[in-house]
Amino acid sequence: MVGVFYGLVLIELILLLLTPSRQQRVSIVFLVLLAIIFAYVPITVSDNRVYNWYYTHPEVPTKFEPVFNQVMQMATKVGLSYQQFKLVIFTIEMSCMAWGLNIFQVDNKRVVLLCYTAIQFFESGVQLRNYLMATVVFVAIAYLWRDKRFDTMYFVMLVGLAAGIQLAAVFFLLLLPMRRLRTRNAQLWFIGVISAGVLLIAVPVTRHIYVLIVQAIATRLPVIGPKMLQYALRFEPGMIIILDVAMAVVLLLLFWRLEAIFKQTDNQPLQSSIRLGQQMALLFYSMVPLYLVAYNFDRILIDGLIVVFAIFAQILGQLTQRNKWLLLAIMGLLVGTYSFATYHYGTKYHNTYAPMIHENAMFPDKTYVMKEEWR
């Protein structure tokens, strides 16, 4: 399994580099392999154990969001096994990806799937709600980019649907006010306000005021209030993920540069994409105060990167050959660095990546031995 996976990744990379952008297609063989890896994660692994328990015990009430509960119950009623249920989830996710890419008018789908595989895929088979939500939000943001009549309404409705899968989707509604930050000065002011907020939260005196405010708000919110309060009371400034902050800043600088390069072009969809890229980077940076509360708020950045990959794929088709290679190199550096660093942070490697690749229930790697200290 491991050799086949990396062999197919290598083939996809070679095809990406040698095939013209407009002829880039996703390999069915590669998708089938991803589906197998996704569906047959060992039942004993972290969140996968929890999802399997509730799926195989439908009589037990869950705390999952209502839409995801309904999907689980429907799959149970038709007699699908847990692995078959996960194959359905994978099919929905890939369909949403294809749907969103078609709205974004992306020809080079291979580069998006490869980037997705490097960063999001190795958690998707374990964190089922989060990545199903992320692909629905991806479609929603594609409609926001298209910006035709009723598209904003479609965006809000799809984000609402995604919130029914996992509540974290509501943070993407922040893109609506961020669409007004069109000028460089407005964006810089926004960054300044967020940075000031980070400093205020990090200082012990104002941190206490922050916790009191959150407590006052949380007690009035019956659904999300308890979780909000839980995060506020476990405040740990040391858990900030510097790499996430760096990614947001680098992406904003990169999209500012791309805006300057394409400033004179008449390609309105491309200019809209670059503005959307700036808004996504600002959204990622607006999460920095929440990183001070709990590191796993970086899921907003990780989920939203799918949109960034789609924008990069759009831009690749508009660049000269030299600049195309430069952007591919930048993408490879960003994706490679972020992927390697995040999967080797804490226990993430042994909770997601290693089980999916080495301990796959259908094709286990019998030569792999997990280090004792991680068990």
Side-chain angles (χ1 to χ4, degrees):
M1 167 64 77
V2 179
V4 173
F5 172 74
Y6 285 114
L8 285 176
V9 168
L10 181 60
I11 291 171
E12 292 293 302
L13 282 170
I14 292 171
L15 290 173
L16 171 65
L17 297 175
L18 298 182
T19 309
S21 291
R22 294 187 179 277
Q23 297 177 21
Q24 297 284 355
R25 297 292 181 267
V26 174
S27 166
I28 298 300
V29 175
F30 187 53
L31 274 179
V32 169
L33 182 64
L34 291 183
I36 292 171
I37 296 173
F38 179 94
Y40 289 91
V41 181
I43 300 300
T44 56
V45 175
S46 56
D47 291 0
N48 201 44
R49 181 194 302 115
V50 178
Y51 285 117
N52 176 67
W53 167 258
Y54 283 115
Y55 185 80
T56 54
H57 295 77
E59 73 283 358
V60 179
T62 76
K63 295 182 180 180
F64 298 152
E65 288 80 352
V67 173
F68 188 82
N69 272 334
Q70 287 297 318
V71 174
M72 276 204 315
Q73 290 170 12
M74 289 172 58
T76 302
K77 287 178 181 178
V78 299
L80 297 182
S81 68
Y82 179 62
Q83 284 76 19
Q84 290 170 334
F85 165 66
K86 290 186 72 177
L87 286 173
V88 170
I89 295 292
F90 181 82
T91 302
I92 295 172
E93 290 182 4
M94 292 300 105
S95 298
C96 286
M97 290 271 288
W99 183 6
L101 289 172
N102 285 333
I103 297 173
F104 271 118
Q105 302 172 15
V106 172
D107 293 316
N108 196 335
K109 296 178 176 61
R110 178 173 279 117
V111 70
V112 178
L113 185 61
L114 282 171
C115 290
Y116 173 84
T117 302
I119 291 183
Q120 287 93 357
F121 176 70
F122 291 110
E123 287 185 295
S124 63
V126 176
Q127 297 182 14
L128 295 186
R129 287 178 300 149
N130 183 64
Y131 290 96
L132 180 59
M133 172 273 285
T135 54
V136 175
V137 166
F138 176 62
V139 178
I141 296 174
Y143 277 113
L144 195 66
W145 168 82
R146 193 175 70 170
D147 201 23
K148 292 184 179 180
R149 188 181 182 186
F150 302 125
D151 279 348
T152 300
M153 181 183 69
Y154 295 153
F155 167 77
V156 174
M157 290 173 61
L158 284 166
V159 170
L161 175 64
I165 298 169
Q166 190 185 65
L167 193 59
V170 297
F171 284 104
F172 288 96
L173 291 174
L174 292 172
L175 283 171
L176 290 175
M178 285 181 186
R179 284 163 63 83
R180 299 181 178 275
L181 302 174
R182 291 180 175 269
T183 66
R184 184 74 57 84
N185 283 340
Q187 294 172 359
L188 287 172
W189 272 105
F190 177 81
I191 292 170
V193 170
I194 295 297
S195 300
V198 170
L199 292 175
L200 288 173
I201 292 176
V203 174
V205 175
T206 49
R207 183 193 313 166
H208 179 65
I209 297 173
Y210 152 78
V211 172
L212 291 176
I213 293 173
V214 173
Q215 285 178 320
I217 296 173
T219 54
R220 290 170 172 79
L221 298 175
V223 180
I224 65 173
K227 181 173 285 190
M228 184 177 173
L229 187 60
Q230 178 187 7
Y231 280 136
L233 295 179
R234 76 178 193 186
F235 180 87
E236 297 180 47
M239 295 180 71
I240 187 169
I241 300 178
I242 301 299
L243 190 66
D244 293 324
V245 180
M247 175 66 89
V249 173
V250 169
L251 285 175
L252 185 58
L253 293 174
L254 181 56
F255 282 115
W256 278 346
R257 179 58 183 158
L258 289 169
E259 181 182 46
I261 292 174
F262 290 101
K263 190 173 184 178
Q264 303 303 323
T265 184
D266 294 328
N267 191 329
Q268 292 302 316
L270 184 61
Q271 292 182 351
S272 296
S273 295
I274 292 171
R275 284 197 297 272
L276 176 60
Q278 294 172 358
Q279 292 154 13
M280 293 301 299
L282 291 170
L283 173 64
F284 300 156
Y285 192 76
S286 72
M287 294 293 106
V288 174
L290 296 180
Y291 297 160
L292 293 170
V293 178
Y295 70 92
N296 56 1
F297 274 109
D298 73 340
R299 70 179 57 190
I300 305 302
L301 183 148
I302 296 172
D303 296 344
L305 281 176
I306 306 174
V307 178
V308 173
F309 300 154
I311 295 171
F312 282 156
Q314 282 183 326
I315 294 171
L316 280 172
Q318 306 296 322
L319 293 173
T320 62
Q321 194 66 18
R322 178 183 176 184
N323 288 332
K324 174 184 174 181
W325 284 102
L326 179 60
L327 182 57
L328 278 172
I330 293 172
M331 287 178 63
L333 182 62
L334 284 175
V335 172
T337 301
Y338 191 86
S339 177
F340 180 83
T342 53
Y343 282 112
H344 288 78
Y345 174 80
T347 62
K348 195 171 182 179
Y349 177 88
H350 290 277
N351 282 342
T352 57
Y353 180 88
M356 288 188 76
I357 289 293
H358 296 286
E359 301 175 29
N360 187 273
M362 182 174 283
F363 300 108
D365 178 7
K366 296 180 181 179
T367 64
Y368 176 76
V369 178
M370 184 180 290
K371 292 182 180 179
E372 195 64 34
E373 61 264 28
W374 291 101
R375 286 194 179 277

